[in-house]
Amino acid sequence: MARLCKPAMIAPEHIITVDETLEFAAGAHAGKPQLPLALRLIRNTGVRKRHIVQPIEKTLRHPGLEERNRIYEAESKRFTPLAIEQALVNAELRARDIDAIIYVSCTGFLMPSLTAWLINKMGFRSDTRQIPIAQLGCAAGGAAINRAHDFCIAHPSSNVLIVSCELCSLCYQPDADDIGSLLSDGLFGDAVAAAVVRGEGGVGIDLERNASYLIPNTEDWISYAVKDTGFHFQLDRRVPGTMEPLAPVLRELAKDHSWDAGKLDFYIIHAGGPRILDDLAKFLEVDRKVFRHSWATLHEYGNIASAVVLEAARRLFEEDTPVPGATGLIAGFGPGITAEMALGTWAADDIPQTFA
């Protein structure tokens, strides 16, 4: 058994609203022919506000890749312990009960992985397995859940900690004025999330089946150009249309499990943007409201990359706790174009857990 317990999410203290984003974009790229289209796209993202790790004045400057990566290290060490401590409480476990840590991030680079620092600083055992995932982008949240599921199957009774640290604002490129860059400047936010997948016990989603799928010949549709100034986000205009080929894959996954993907009780979907959610609702033939936890995440935090599915799942636990046996779908989408998908059933132990 592998059970996803209630996630925790921490958002940085600095906030930028959509109106401020539009104002900054209009000032920084005044007179450029693509600006009116970019402003329209930003207005249509559905993002009302985002959280960022630095004041906007600092975010809008580029101090160089070395300094940005220093900030990434400092801020990841500030926020990840807070999210982890809450996730452990939610799972009714201690640090020493964790057998593996899956750390996902696509917005900074550390070697050794932050997992080594976490093990040394937070009381995890020295034999804790380290599984960093750096290059799956927004799909990595779903991938982390799936790899935790796989680990628990391979190592029964194990507990796996998932940590997602996405500081997207540190990838802002002031001089980039292509449509993809301008859109991403108004879409992505910063957040750190964590969750535990328990091998036994707990309350949450029993992970029953998972799968991965890559749309052929789309590897350049979402990508980073790595330059002296760091990571430059590149987005193909065809990306929003990817739900049409992916919806049948989700349907087939559910069908193989004797479920109907259009008739499940809950959905935890990566909120890549409004078109992604609207199209998936259309092709799965479900009401767009079934993605309400993903919509709320998008509205309040923007696209927080791999942390989206964990934050949307947290909202499911807090706002809309399913009845035992309720069936659901988790799906993350990202570079590749890659889909990481899981099916699960809501479950709780009959015997109360002890935690002291």
Side-chain angles (χ1 to χ4, degrees):
M1 187 273 284
R3 184 171 294 172
L4 176 65
C5 299
K6 179 183 176 181
M9 195 276 275
I10 304 292
E13 63 270 32
H14 303 290
I15 295 174
I16 180 169
T17 66
V18 63
D19 290 336
E20 290 171 328
T21 298
L22 292 167
E23 180 182 344
F24 288 125
H29 302 284
K32 295 180 179 178
Q34 65 272 41
L35 181 60
L37 174 58
L39 294 179
R40 187 166 72 251
L41 291 172
I42 292 171
R43 289 190 189 96
N44 292 335
T45 59
V47 178
R48 297 169 187 160
K49 66 177 178 66
R50 294 169 293 151
H51 292 246
I52 50 181
V53 292
Q54 300 180 102
I56 187 59
E57 295 77 18
K58 287 188 176 181
T59 301
L60 293 175
R61 296 195 294 267
H62 198 324
L65 177 58
E66 180 179 354
E67 175 62 10
R68 279 194 168 173
N69 210 59
R70 185 199 67 77
I71 296 169
Y72 172 86
E73 179 175 1
E75 296 298 317
S76 63
K77 289 179 177 179
R78 179 162 74 106
F79 287 113
T80 53
L82 301 175
I84 290 169
E85 287 168 358
Q86 186 58 59
L88 289 172
V89 170
N90 293 346
E92 300 183 307
L93 294 175
R94 306 171 187 83
R96 64 177 179 269
D97 298 320
I98 297 299
D99 300 288
I101 302 174
I102 301 176
Y103 179 81
V104 297
S105 180
C106 63
T107 53
F109 180 79
L110 298 176
M111 191 172 75
S113 165
L114 193 71
T115 49
W117 182 84
L118 292 170
I119 290 170
N120 286 323
K121 297 297 182 182
M122 293 195 67
F124 296 101
R125 303 191 318 267
S126 294
D127 63 349
T128 304
R129 316 289 180 87
Q130 302 176 64
I131 310 173
I133 300 175
Q135 292 156 300
L136 281 177
C138 296
I145 292 170
N146 289 349
R147 299 297 77 78
H149 181 194
D150 295 342
F151 189 94
C152 288
I153 292 174
H155 304 277
S157 303
S158 294
N159 300 307
V160 181
L161 171 68
I162 297 168
V163 183
S164 165
C165 179
E166 299 294 13
L167 308 183
C168 302
S169 65
L170 296 179
C171 297
Y172 173 67
Q173 299 294 340
D175 297 328
D177 58 5
D178 58 282
I179 290 296
S181 294
L182 291 174
L183 175 59
S184 68
D185 294 343
L187 178 63
F188 288 96
D190 297 349
V192 175
V196 174
V197 174
R198 288 187 57 147
E200 292 181 348
V203 176
I205 302 170
D206 274 354
L207 302 170
E208 299 188 20
R209 192 184 196 100
N210 73 63
S212 303
Y213 184 81
L214 185 141
I215 302 177
N217 303 314
T218 59
E219 71 269 20
D220 58 347
W221 288 19
I222 301 175
S223 64
Y224 274 162
V226 183
K227 302 182 180 181
D228 291 341
T229 48
F231 302 142
H232 290 245
F233 184 71
Q234 300 179 129
L235 182 69
D236 190 281
R237 67 179 60 190
R238 292 170 288 185
V239 169
T242 50
M243 292 303 101
E244 185 170 7
L246 286 179
V249 177
L250 292 168
R251 284 192 176 280
E252 192 64 24
L253 173 66
K255 182 181 178 182
D256 288 345
H257 203 57
S258 300
W259 291 0
D260 183 340
K263 296 180 180 179
L264 302 178
D265 300 303
F266 61 89
Y267 297 81
I268 303 300
I269 305 297
H270 174 66
R275 172 80 183 277
I276 297 294
L277 295 175
D278 279 334
D279 272 13
L280 187 57
K282 172 186 173 182
F283 293 117
L284 286 184
E285 299 179 349
V286 298
D287 191 310
R288 70 196 297 272
K289 293 179 181 178
V290 302
F291 301 154
R292 57 191 172 278
H293 305 302
S294 301
W295 279 112
T297 301
L298 181 66
H299 294 329
E300 295 184 27
Y301 298 107
N303 182 342
I304 48 176
S306 64
V308 168
V309 292
L310 296 178
E311 169 58 10
R314 185 193 67 81
R315 290 173 178 273
L316 174 72
F317 279 77
E318 285 201 349
E319 303 170 13
D320 199 23
T321 304
V323 298
T327 57
L329 168 70
I330 302 171
F333 313 115
I337 299 292
T338 300
E340 288 282 345
M341 306 156 286
L343 299 175
T345 302
W346 186 265
D349 281 358
D350 295 329
I351 302 174
Q353 298 297 303
T354 59
F355 180 65

